[in-house]
Each structure stands twice: as C-alpha cells, then as structure tokens.
Amino acid sequence: MTQKIIRNSNPYWINEKHDFITSFLKHPRIIHAELSTNNDEYDVVVIGTGLSGVSCVYWLRKLYPVERFPRILLLEKNVHPCSGASGRNGGFICPSYDYLADYVEDFGYENGCQWVEFQHENIRSIAQAVKENNIDCEINLTRGNVALARTQKELENIVKSYEFIKDYLEKHSNTKMSLDNLELWDHEKCQEMLHSDKFIGGLFMRESGTVWVAKLVYGLLKYCLEQPGIDLITNGKVIRIENSKNIILENGRVIIAHHAIVHATNAYSVEYMDFVRDKIIPTRGQCSRSKPIETIFWPFGLSANEGGEYYHQSPIDGRITFGGCRWRSPDTEHNNQNDSEINDLIQEEHERFFSLWHPGIATQNCTVEIEQEWTGIMAFTIDDLPLIGPLPGDNKQFLLCGYNGDGMPNAFLCAKAVARMIANDDPYKEGEEKNTITFLK
C-alpha cells in the first residue's frame, strides 16, 4: 500500500523570513501568553488580529480619545499576528460589481446596489488609511480586475450586474461610484487582452487591484501599538467566554473585558462560541504562486467561473498568484479548518488551469510552474451575509466575522461600524452626511 504524501501549506504572504514580520515581532508591546499566567483587565478586548480585529482597534483610537477606552487588548491565538485568512488569501481588493445581479436577487435592488457602493467606499477608505499612515503594502487600485464569462449564463449575469449599476447611478446622482469605472468586454476584446479564446465576455473594473494584506494589517497594527494603552497578546488561544466579561485562555489565564469583547475571529469563532456554530461554515480556500515568468501577460487581475478562480501576475517578476477550484473537492472544502495542508485534487486543477484556459501562454514558450502553495480558512454563513454587530441580547459582545470569502471589500468599514457601536454611536450617520454608504442596515 502506498503511503499518502501530505503536502504542507506554506503561505507566501506571512512567511516568517519576511523582514516586516521578523522586525515587528521584537515590539516591546507584544506579550506572549505562555510566558505569564497573570490575569489582566482591559476596557475592550478584540479577539483576532487579522484585518477585522486590527481595524477595529485602529478605529477605536482614531475616532475616540484615549480617555474613552484607556486600555485595549488585541488577542491572537498563534505565535504572530495575521496568521489566519488575512495572511493566507489571494491578494485581491475589488468591489463585487460582478456579483450585483446575485445581490439584487437575494437581498433586493436597493440593498444589493448599496452593498456594492459600501464596498466601493471600503476600498477607498483602505487606500486613504494606507496613505495617511505611510503603510508599505504594495496596494495598487489602478491596475483593475476583470470578471470573465465562459458560458452564456455567466455573461448574462455580468451584463445584468452592469445594467443594475447603470440604473442605480442614474437614480442616485450623489453617489461616488462612476460608470466610467466599468467596461463590458465582448469575445473579441477578451481574445485581444487575455491570450485566450476561451472567454466570451467580461466586466472590467478599473478602480480595483491588489494588496499585500498582511503588510496592510501589520502597518495598521504598528499604528495601534504606538498609541497609549494598547497591548497585543500572542499564543493566547481562547477556549470560552464567561459572563460576557471573562475571557478564558487555554493556559488558564483570565482576561477581563469591562466594556466590550469583539469576536473578530472569522471561522475560528465556531471553536469557542455556541451562537455561531449553526451560522458559520468554515471553508478552506487554496492558493498557489508560480515561479518567475519573463512575460507579463495581464497587467490586471482576473476572475472566472463566477469568482471560483482568481489570479493576478506580479508586475515585478511575473509570478502568478492563483486561487480557487474548491469545486474539485467532493465537499468543496466546507467544514474544513485545517490550513496546514493542501488538497491534492485542487492542486491538480491549479497545475492544469493555464494550459486549459490560456493556451496562448504556451505559444510564447512560457509555462506556469507552481513554486509555493497554501490554504486558508474562510467563514461562510448560512444566509450569505456577514455577522456584524452585537450578540442578540448582549450589548457587551460584538461579532465581526463571516465575510463569505469577501473580507477585503467589506472588513475595514465593518470594523469602523463596530467601533462606533462599542461607543454607542450611530454607525450610519457618517455615510448619510457624506452622501455615501459607510454601513448597511
């Protein structure tokens, strides 16, 4: 009997050899939970140090004076921050214009369009924070992304999404979105741009692109730890919450949160929170990164199969980052929380994807060879809506998770809304004053 080979997950974005990680881990405000069993007390404790959790602390300090929340704690279960989905993604940052037809079908015209407008405002807010804090995270919101259609049904959905946006903009002249941001592609345009005749159309979205999410998170975290009263505990795995106040760690330490607890733990929430166990479905995604390629085939990002596959090419060394193909797994990777291994069936699809769907690459004497692979755990929800806001009947615990694989276009402003909720402020008021959407009702 042949022994199955276990292939390890090796995420590129959070490799500990990167200087931004090794230098940050020396920060004096980082406390290692295993080195102490002392109990401690804080005003606000945020569990999870991915984009959601760090953004929530960032907004608490940006929006309110230190005296409002003197002591804030970020709590991470792993050895270094951003070890979960935020450090294991594909690096895209793009509003879901191409999903709008589905949003409208599921949630209604106004809600669906406002959700896309919210995502548009979200990525602009990220860009502004990056600029204000001089964060080096390789963000590029001018390269654009194209959502591609292989079938007539996919194309009809993309065209319908475009028409919804067009109609919404005509009815809402004050919106900051613009139709100039979008361009419908036909089959000929796809052939011209893609080195492929396999796609019959697409929707190109100009104000979107890519970002090194872990660098973004570490940059925001650097700002947070420079503020008074903020600590970070690593290796602090939460096993339960008692009385909406006491946070029990695996090593027996008890952290006390007097004002609020924020659960920004995405799929990990199911391990210690009864409330989310029938609402969140942990789902494993898989990405790969190729060896360097001399030819740059696409200066923009791409997605296909209704977002089931997504990829972009580095303008520096030509490496292609590719993600998706969960459909190749019999269970589509649902209820899988193991991000230490990769799925061989999905790996096979990654290896054959470009020869199948972009055969023009081979005509230029190029091949796409995988050099690095990794997995990450997303949090899908039973109703396709994120879980944002207070726990029912509990005004001290807040959820900030469940993005259904779309954390980048949603999490930053969702975190801002939760920060306002913690302070008993109106999370909608700012958007109403600025004629945009900063949170959805």
Side-chain angles (χ1 to χ4, degrees):
M1 181 181 296
T2 57
Q3 186 177 4
K4 181 181 178 182
I5 299 175
I6 303 298
R7 301 183 185 275
N8 294 328
S9 171
N10 181 21
Y12 170 76
W13 311 113
I14 52 172
N15 189 310
E16 292 187 11
K17 295 179 181 179
H18 293 313
D19 289 341
F20 78 94
I21 293 180
T22 54
S23 60
F24 181 84
L25 293 179
K26 300 173 185 176
H27 200 290
R29 300 284 286 280
I30 299 177
I31 305 165
H32 294 273
E34 77 277 9
L35 300 180
S36 171
T37 57
N38 295 332
N39 300 334
D40 214 339
E41 301 185 22
Y42 290 86
D43 297 286
V44 178
V45 176
V46 177
I47 307 171
T49 63
L51 180 60
S52 288
V54 173
S55 296
C56 186
V57 174
Y58 172 83
W59 286 119
L60 283 170
R61 273 293 179 264
K62 275 285 187 179
L63 296 172
Y64 304 104
V66 174
E67 295 77 21
R68 188 72 182 272
F69 306 107
R71 299 203 69 203
I72 300 175
L73 174 67
L74 275 156
L75 192 53
E76 168 59 47
K77 74 169 182 173
N78 293 306
V79 69
H80 59 70
C82 198
S83 297
S86 294
R88 296 168 172 270
N89 53 45
F92 280 93
I93 180 168
C94 181
S96 302
Y97 294 106
D98 51 316
Y99 291 168
L100 181 53
D102 292 331
Y103 286 173
V104 171
E105 181 177 349
D106 292 342
F107 311 117
Y109 171 82
E110 200 70 21
N111 288 332
C113 292
Q114 286 187 358
W115 196 352
V116 171
E117 185 172 5
F118 168 79
Q119 294 180 359
H120 179 268
E121 188 67 19
N122 184 86
I123 69 166
R124 285 192 167 187
S125 296
I126 290 175
Q128 182 178 350
V130 167
K131 183 177 181 180
E132 287 179 358
N133 297 284
N134 297 312
I135 299 174
D136 177 16
C137 58
E138 300 181 21
I139 190 169
N140 185 334
L141 293 179
T142 60
R143 65 184 302 187
N145 285 295
V146 60
L148 298 168
R150 298 173 188 155
T151 67
Q152 190 61 36
K153 182 179 178 182
E154 290 175 0
L155 182 58
E156 289 171 0
N157 220 37
I158 284 174
V159 172
K160 191 183 295 184
S161 295
Y162 176 85
E163 293 298 332
F164 278 134
I165 283 286
K166 183 178 179 181
D167 181 72
Y168 182 76
L169 294 178
E170 290 173 354
K171 294 176 179 177
H172 299 79
S173 58
N174 291 328
T175 178
K176 295 179 181 178
M177 294 191 296
S178 170
L179 204 61
D180 294 338
N181 188 40
L182 305 175
E183 179 185 355
L184 282 173
W185 287 5
D186 58 16
H187 180 55
E188 288 72 24
K189 181 73 170 181
C190 289
Q191 284 183 298
E192 174 193 345
M193 301 298 290
L194 303 176
H195 303 278
S196 174
D197 62 356
K198 304 292 185 179
F199 302 97
I200 63 174
L203 179 63
F204 184 73
M205 300 159 278
R206 289 184 174 85
E207 191 177 357
S208 61
T210 50
V211 62
W212 191 324
V213 184
K215 282 188 174 182
L216 168 63
V217 172
Y218 273 71
L220 294 172
L221 191 52
K222 180 176 180 290
Y223 166 86
C224 292
L225 294 186
E226 288 172 349
Q227 309 307 307
I230 297 179
D231 290 329
L232 165 64
I233 288 181
T234 58
N235 282 347
K237 184 176 181 179
V238 177
I239 59 173
R240 68 181 181 276
I241 309 295
E242 295 180 349
N243 303 319
S244 299
K245 180 179 180 180
N246 299 327
I247 303 165
I248 315 301
L249 304 189
E250 191 173 46
N251 72 340
R253 185 174 182 176
V254 179
I255 307 292
I256 299 172
H258 288 290
H259 188 88
I261 299 172
V262 179
H263 302 279
T265 44
N266 221 27
Y268 166 51
S269 304
V270 302
E271 293 188 14
Y272 70 93
M273 290 187 70
D274 290 335
F275 176 79
V276 301
R277 287 196 177 112
D278 61 349
K279 300 172 181 64
I280 283 181
I281 306 163
T283 303
R284 187 169 71 176
Q286 188 160 314
C287 293
S288 58
R289 184 171 168 86
S290 77
K291 294 180 179 179
I293 299 173
E294 290 186 3
T295 303
I296 303 298
F297 297 105
W298 321 285
F300 44 81
L302 309 91
S303 65
N305 193 18
E306 297 181 322
E309 290 111 27
Y310 40 92
Y311 42 111
H312 59 88
Q313 191 172 17
S314 168
I316 299 172
D317 59 15
R319 295 178 192 269
I320 296 173
T321 300
F322 179 84
C325 298
R326 285 190 302 106
W327 54 267
R328 186 64 175 83
S329 175
D331 57 7
T332 59
E333 300 291 81
H334 288 314
N335 293 307
N336 189 336
Q337 297 188 68
N338 183 0
D339 62 9
S340 66
E341 299 174 4
I342 65 168
N343 184 309
D344 287 343
L345 295 175
I346 294 175
Q347 180 201 33
E348 291 173 6
E349 292 301 325
H350 284 212
E351 289 176 338
R352 67 193 290 264
F353 180 86
F354 292 100
S355 61
L356 181 63
W357 295 105
H358 292 276
I361 292 177
T363 64
Q364 300 194 33
N365 297 318
C366 290
T367 57
V368 180
E369 298 180 70
I370 293 176
E371 184 175 70
Q372 197 165 350
E373 301 164 279
W374 64 90
T375 52
I377 313 303
M378 303 172 285
F380 283 35
T381 59
I382 57 174
D383 60 2
D384 296 325
L385 292 170
L387 299 173
I388 311 296
L391 279 174
D394 188 341
N395 61 3
K396 289 189 63 177
Q397 294 194 70
F398 296 83
L399 291 170
L400 188 52
C401 55
Y403 297 107
N404 296 282
D406 285 327
M408 284 311 302
N410 288 289
F412 193 57
L413 285 186
C414 283
K416 188 176 187 180
V418 168
R420 291 196 183 280
M421 293 177 196
I422 291 170
N424 294 317
D425 276 353
D426 183 352
Y428 311 102
K429 184 178 179 181
E430 180 184 0
E432 294 167 354
E433 292 174 345
K434 294 182 178 180
N435 290 316
T436 187
I437 307 295
T438 53
F439 194 54
L440 291 170
K441 296 184 180 179

